[in-house]
Amino acid sequence: MVERRMNSLVKWALILFVLVSIILNIVLIGIHSSRTPKCSAQPVHPPRGKHDDRSLVFADLTPEEYLLVQQYMLKDKSLNISINQFTAPSDNFLFLIDLSLPKKEHALAYLNETAPKPHREATAVVFHGSKGHIKEYVVGPLHNPTYIRDVTLERYGTELPINARTVSVGEYVLLFKLLDAEVFSKLKKLMKESFDVDENKKLNAFEQMPRGLKSGDRKTWISLFRDVSGMYIHPVGFEVLVDHGSVNASQWKVEGLLYNGQYFNTTEELKQKYDAKSVKKIVYKKSPDYGSLKPKNKPLQMGPQMFYAEGKRYSVSNNHVLYLDWSFAFGLSSLTGMRVFDVRFKNERIAYELSVQEAMSVYGSLTPGMMLTKFLDSSIGIGRFAHELARGVDCPYEATYVDTYRYIDVQAPVRYRNSICIFEHNMGQPLRRHFSDFFHNSYGGMVNSALVFRTITAIGNYDYMWDFIFYQNGAVEAKVHATGYISSSYLVDGNKKYGHQVAENVLGNIHTHFINFKVDLDVAGKQNVFQTKDMQFVNVSLPWKPDHYAMVPQLVEMELKTEQEAALRYGTKTPRYLHIASKKTNKWGHQRSYRLQVFSFTGDHLPESEPEERSMSWARYKVAITKHKDSEQTSSSLYSQNNIWDPAVDFSKYIADNENIEDEDLVAWVTTGFLHIPHAEDIPNTVTVGNGGGVLLRPHNYFDEDPSIHSADAVYIKPGSENSCENNRMACLAKETCSPVLEPFTYNGFDGVMKFD
């Protein structure tokens, strides 16, 4: 009886187990069958063009090439150079190695397959402290260097004085030691009572530029800030003037001090008056951490993300990019930053070069650390500070990330991971569309998907986001946005004329941002002209009623034939349409051209009467057109900041010779930017919204019609075809959904930061 009951229980247990297993399998099968498939990692359709290794003529140096140049120069005993980062200013220091661009004529002949590849060469900059000058050398060929050629006079027409050099890491270390020995250690009581500084706490330094008042000076006002996150908005009210003009650091000296708005000639004078209580003291007060970028709230929900449902529609090989009808080569100069070459649309060259040239700011203040400050960032290195881009923040998560290598103020080339990103992006509005409400009802539209080529450079307090954007209608846009921290000064009486208070005892200083781009367009060939177009109202008799008149807008066209005519200054009325044009015509008989459309909110440019202005004379012009010359490669130079009164490159001289620009190879130098009056919302960071500028290169009669009409992204809907996928992929999107395949998140951005120990 008991045995029969046990058998029955086992039987029912087995039946129950089978039923549960069946139900569980059904559930699992259902879950599995409803799971979204993974998106294709490979493109559904191959790129339209083919990658071209000839793009490597513009490629940045490889780590191996940097080292070949360095070692070849070290073997030349006549140079007697050091590669030690902490080389004394009195010795000879190899500061920079960068690509030496080929002459345009040679590069084009190679790209057009009519000449062999030009020699690949590097530019090397040596600070010859022992001889009191700077030299630029060309070293090549890079695969096996056999020559070093001094090109200083050839490029600049003058010797470069040693005081024109950028402050190196080694010089900064010596400056910090001087401050410690001659200021901080002598003012221990003041430092503790005013700033809570002792053996375990310090202040951070941020310097004024230019360094002095006249050519040959190297006298720097160093402002001191709290050693906290976002130090740039934590000034303490203490500034020190240091003369470091000699290459012998033992001759450097403190020439002045500013404490709480009061000037002193020596450290001893300040100490004596502080101890005697005859100065207005700063009493230390712990500052709130308002400069930190650490989130104040925990994330609740992730924002929208971008992914590629059918793989990426662009391809990157070495330094060459293919995207739909576009192709281009790219590079990142340590000095000037982002640049692209041989830009083609439908395999026709649109531009030979599109590049960043300079970023400049002029500040206003009552205190010396900001009062005379005029930053010229290429003299420090714009591309030098392109660090890793944070995946999903600086660029879309699924962007393509590219590493770069640089050799500037280091002992060996440094790898900067993921410092360039490339991605296709839905710009958030249709490129074109029309809904036909009358007669022939239909809808036609096209999403504005474009390729973005980006880097972000964190130069001291400011971060500049640089974008080159390639649109499907044949337009290219060069854009910059500014973010990061504002520069600030300690609030003293009378200083609010120069900005707004943004925190306790903190003034956000008024300043300008001017950005210069080089745009070397080749429109249907190299022989181009510069045209302007605008409108005017004319009083016209009505043909059907001759005694009646109406003011009617009329097209006004001009061709400017010399460089001085084509130097269009800010502050003057300029035509609204600016064109680089060919004498060749489109189907309708109009000259094929590209329009330069500048977006800018610049402040006033520094008056030309100021001695520093010549180093930034490019900023006089909204657009300036010059005849292409290989000798006029950049609008600024590495030496403009520290010899600002006698610049090695004075852009105004490019225009002064007033050459003919009719049927010539033309270059447009475009200046954009914005005026920044800091306000409370700049704390902790300036936002990119509204803070930027750029230039749009738009086809204007270049084609016979809008080329985007041939894009497969177009959508067309007629009554009765609303759900058809034939001309509308959007109608079937729900059936084609997939989940993205994501790379793991990594971040190595702190590799390669400047270190002073």
Side-chain angles (χ1 to χ4, degrees):
M1 189 82 175
V2 172
E3 186 178 346
R4 191 182 304 163
R5 188 176 297 158
M6 287 293 294
N7 288 335
S8 179
L9 287 172
V10 169
K11 183 175 72 173
W12 283 110
L14 285 170
I15 292 170
L16 183 63
F17 175 76
V18 169
L19 286 172
V20 169
S21 297
I22 292 170
I23 293 168
L24 185 61
N25 276 296
I26 290 170
V27 170
L28 288 172
I29 290 168
I31 291 172
H32 183 75
S33 63
S34 65
R35 187 177 295 158
T36 306
K38 293 292 184 182
C39 297
S40 171
Q42 300 300 319
V44 174
H45 302 286
R48 292 181 189 173
K50 292 184 178 180
H51 284 294
D52 191 340
D53 284 345
R54 284 172 294 180
S55 67
L56 292 171
V57 74
F58 303 113
D60 298 336
L61 270 64
T62 65
E64 294 76 19
E65 288 174 327
Y66 282 122
L67 290 173
L68 281 169
V69 172
Q70 182 202 64
Q71 294 305 307
Y72 187 72
M73 295 186 74
L74 283 171
K75 290 176 185 176
D76 189 333
K77 299 305 179 185
S78 67
L79 295 176
N80 189 27
I81 59 171
S82 169
I83 59 171
N84 188 326
Q85 259 189 308
F86 305 108
T87 297
S90 56
D91 294 330
N92 305 327
F93 178 50
L94 177 56
F95 177 73
L96 169 73
I97 302 173
D98 209 351
L99 175 68
S100 183
L101 288 170
K103 291 185 176 180
K104 181 177 180 180
E105 178 185 2
H106 297 163
L108 284 180
Y110 172 61
L111 294 171
N112 296 335
E113 299 183 311
T114 60
K117 183 179 180 179
H119 281 313
R120 187 161 161 80
E121 298 176 323
T123 291
V125 175
V126 177
F127 298 161
H128 285 283
S130 66
K131 298 178 181 178
H133 59 227
I134 303 166
K135 290 287 187 182
E136 285 198 6
Y137 300 96
V138 164
V139 181
L142 289 185
H143 68 280
N144 182 26
T146 58
Y147 56 84
I148 300 175
R149 186 161 56 91
D150 181 355
V151 293
T152 313
L153 287 173
E154 177 187 326
R155 290 182 175 179
Y156 302 107
T158 184
E159 293 287 350
L160 300 170
I162 193 65
N163 275 3
R165 73 189 185 279
T166 301
V167 174
S168 65
V169 168
E171 187 172 357
Y172 276 121
V173 169
L174 292 172
L175 281 169
F176 298 156
K177 286 181 179 178
L178 177 75
L179 287 176
D180 190 53
E182 296 298 321
V183 180
F184 303 153
S185 65
K186 293 181 179 181
L187 297 172
K188 289 184 178 180
K189 181 182 178 184
L190 179 151
M191 298 298 291
K192 181 62 178 176
E193 293 179 353
S194 295
F195 313 123
D196 194 33
V197 169
D198 53 28
E199 294 80 9
N200 302 314
K201 295 182 181 179
K202 63 175 183 175
L203 296 177
N204 288 333
F206 192 56
E207 63 212 299
Q208 157 257 331
M209 302 178 205
R211 306 176 190 280
L213 301 173
K214 64 183 187 305
S215 186
D217 278 356
R218 200 171 180 83
K219 300 180 179 183
T220 304
W221 275 103
I222 299 173
S223 301
L224 296 164
F225 295 79
R226 297 192 191 281
D227 183 27
V228 295
S229 179
M231 55 164 264
Y232 306 102
I233 50 176
H234 287 275
V236 299
F238 191 28
E239 302 180 12
V240 181
L241 176 62
V242 176
D243 182 351
H244 52 123
S246 173
V247 294
N248 184 351
S250 67
Q251 296 180 15
W252 297 357
K253 58 185 178 181
V254 173
E255 284 205 342
L257 304 95
L258 175 74
Y259 172 81
N260 201 17
Q262 303 151 94
Y263 287 89
F264 304 90
N265 293 319
T266 65
T267 306
E268 289 72 21
E269 180 191 359
L270 172 55
K271 182 179 186 304
Q272 184 270 320
K273 291 185 176 179
Y274 184 89
D275 290 342
K277 300 182 179 180
S278 60
V279 300
K280 185 180 178 183
K281 294 185 178 183
I282 298 171
V283 178
Y284 173 73
K285 178 182 177 183
K286 187 173 181 179
S287 175
D289 190 17
Y290 53 79
S292 173
L293 298 181
K294 186 176 180 180
K296 298 186 184 299
N297 293 295
K298 291 185 178 181
L300 299 176
Q301 185 177 359
M302 183 173 288
Q305 300 294 311
M306 182 191 83
F307 66 94
Y308 301 96
E310 296 181 331
K312 294 172 180 175
R313 301 198 296 182
Y314 63 88
S315 175
V316 183
S317 177
N318 296 317
N319 71 320
H320 192 248
V321 177
L322 295 172
Y323 168 62
L324 301 179
D325 291 318
W326 288 102
S327 68
F328 60 89
F330 67 84
L332 184 71
S333 163
S334 291
L335 299 185
T336 57
M338 199 163 77
R339 54 194 185 187
V340 293
F341 297 93
D342 194 26
V343 179
R344 302 186 187 210
F345 187 78
K346 294 184 180 291
N347 206 34
E348 187 170 12
R349 185 175 298 113
I350 302 296
Y352 175 75
E353 177 184 355
L354 175 59
S355 59
V356 179
Q357 290 292 299
E358 185 62 283
M360 178 266 287
S361 295
V362 175
Y363 281 79
S365 181
L366 192 62
T367 51
M370 285 280 104
M371 191 173 198
L372 298 178
T373 285
K374 299 163 185 71
F375 289 129
L376 291 160
D377 289 344
S378 74
S379 295
I380 307 167
I382 297 174
R384 172 186 187 176
F385 295 104
H387 291 277
E388 180 164 15
L389 300 164
R391 189 183 290 270
V393 183
D394 294 328
C395 310
Y397 199 97
E398 282 208 77
T400 298
Y401 293 85
V402 179
D403 296 350
T404 59
Y405 294 84
R406 271 159 260 153
Y407 189 112
I408 179 169
D409 202 6
V410 289
Q411 297 182 158
V414 177
R415 177 187 181 187
Y416 293 84
R417 299 173 188 266
N418 303 335
S419 45
I420 289 172
C421 71
I422 303 163
F423 56 94
E424 188 178 6
H425 184 51
N426 183 326
M427 305 302 284
Q429 75 284 327
L431 180 65
R432 52 177 174 77
R433 60 97 69 192
H434 177 66
F435 179 83
S436 183
D437 194 16
F438 304 113
F439 308 116
H440 300 282
N441 300 138
S442 65
Y443 169 85
M446 177 180 161
V447 64
N448 188 9
S449 289
L451 187 81
V452 181
F453 177 74
R454 172 178 295 170
T455 192
I456 302 178
T457 56
I459 309 166
N461 58 306
Y462 261 110
D463 297 53
Y464 287 111
M465 183 174 74
W466 309 95
D467 286 345
F468 293 159
I469 306 173
F470 300 84
Y471 296 94
Q472 291 190 57
N473 69 328
V476 187
E477 188 173 12
K479 289 172 68 174
V480 60
H481 287 90
T483 179
Y485 290 98
I486 58 171
S487 281
S488 67
S489 56
Y490 195 73
L491 192 62
V492 298
D493 290 343
N495 216 2
K496 287 188 180 179
K497 296 176 184 176
Y498 303 98
H500 293 315
Q501 183 173 352
V502 293
E504 187 174 0
N505 293 322
V506 180
L507 182 85
N509 296 88
I510 187 172
H511 58 281
T512 60
H513 288 270
F514 284 83
I515 309 294
N516 192 237
F517 292 101
K518 181 181 182 181
V519 183
D520 185 352
L521 287 167
D522 288 348
V523 179
K526 288 199 305 178
Q527 277 63 53
N528 293 152
V529 297
F530 182 54
Q531 291 180 334
T532 67
K533 299 181 184 182
D534 213 320
M535 60 165 283
Q536 66 179 10
F537 279 97
V538 293
N539 201 18
V540 177
S541 170
L542 303 181
W544 67 93
K545 202 170 182 63
D547 57 337
H548 278 71
Y549 290 81
M551 295 296 287
V552 178
Q554 188 178 82
L555 174 64
V556 178
E557 298 180 284
M558 291 182 64
E559 184 180 312
L560 306 183
K561 299 188 177 183
T562 67
E563 290 177 328
Q564 290 185 9
E565 286 181 4
L568 308 180
R569 289 176 174 262
Y570 272 109
T572 61
K573 181 175 172 57
T574 59
R576 279 161 275 213
Y577 276 58
L578 310 173
H579 301 260
I580 302 292
S582 170
K583 289 292 179 71
K584 297 175 184 177
T585 59
N586 70 358
K587 180 179 178 179
W588 314 112
H590 298 294
Q591 286 179 246
R592 299 178 70 191
S593 75
Y594 258 75
R595 178 187 172 195
L596 305 165
Q597 188 170 350
V598 182
F599 300 96
S600 185
F601 178 58
T602 55
D604 294 339
H605 177 51
L606 187 70
E608 291 175 37
S609 58
E610 288 297 286
E612 301 93 346
E613 192 276 339
R614 286 194 301 128
S615 68
M616 55 190 79
S617 56
W618 49 268
R620 300 174 189 174
Y621 310 102
K622 181 177 184 178
V623 173
I625 307 296
T626 63
K627 178 181 175 181
H628 177 274
K629 294 179 183 176
D630 288 304
S631 60
E632 296 178 352
Q633 190 167 299
T634 58
S635 60
S636 189
S637 84
L638 174 62
Y639 318 105
S640 294
Q641 181 73 81
N642 292 305
N643 196 17
I644 200 169
W645 309 274
D646 189 15
V649 173
D650 177 354
F651 178 80
S652 65
K653 291 181 179 178
Y654 293 5
I655 295 164
D657 57 10
N658 200 27
E659 292 201 71
N660 171 66
I661 56 170
E662 186 179 18
D663 294 323
E664 296 286 356
D665 187 2
L666 303 184
V667 177
W669 307 85
V670 179
T671 300
T672 183
F674 63 99
L675 171 66
H676 193 177
I677 301 174
H679 45 90
E681 292 81 8
D682 283 311
I683 303 298
N685 261 188
T686 294
V687 297
T688 56
V689 177
N691 292 313
V695 57
L696 187 60
L697 313 177
R698 298 175 58 183
H700 186 94
N701 289 324
Y702 186 86
F703 303 103
D704 298 332
E705 62 181 353
D706 173 16
S708 77
I709 196 66
H710 300 284
S711 172
D713 287 352
V715 166
Y716 184 72
I717 305 170
K718 293 191 301 183
S721 69
E722 290 85 351
N723 298 318
S724 170
C725 303
E726 183 179 358
N727 294 309
N728 179 15
R729 284 290 301 276
M730 298 298 105
C732 297
L733 189 63
K735 302 173 186 177
E736 300 176 8
T737 54
C738 58
S739 61
V741 180
L742 300 177
E743 295 287 332
F745 184 89
T746 60
Y747 191 72
N748 304 278
F750 304 114
D751 296 346
V753 298
M754 291 180 73
K755 296 177 181 177
F756 303 104
D757 50 25

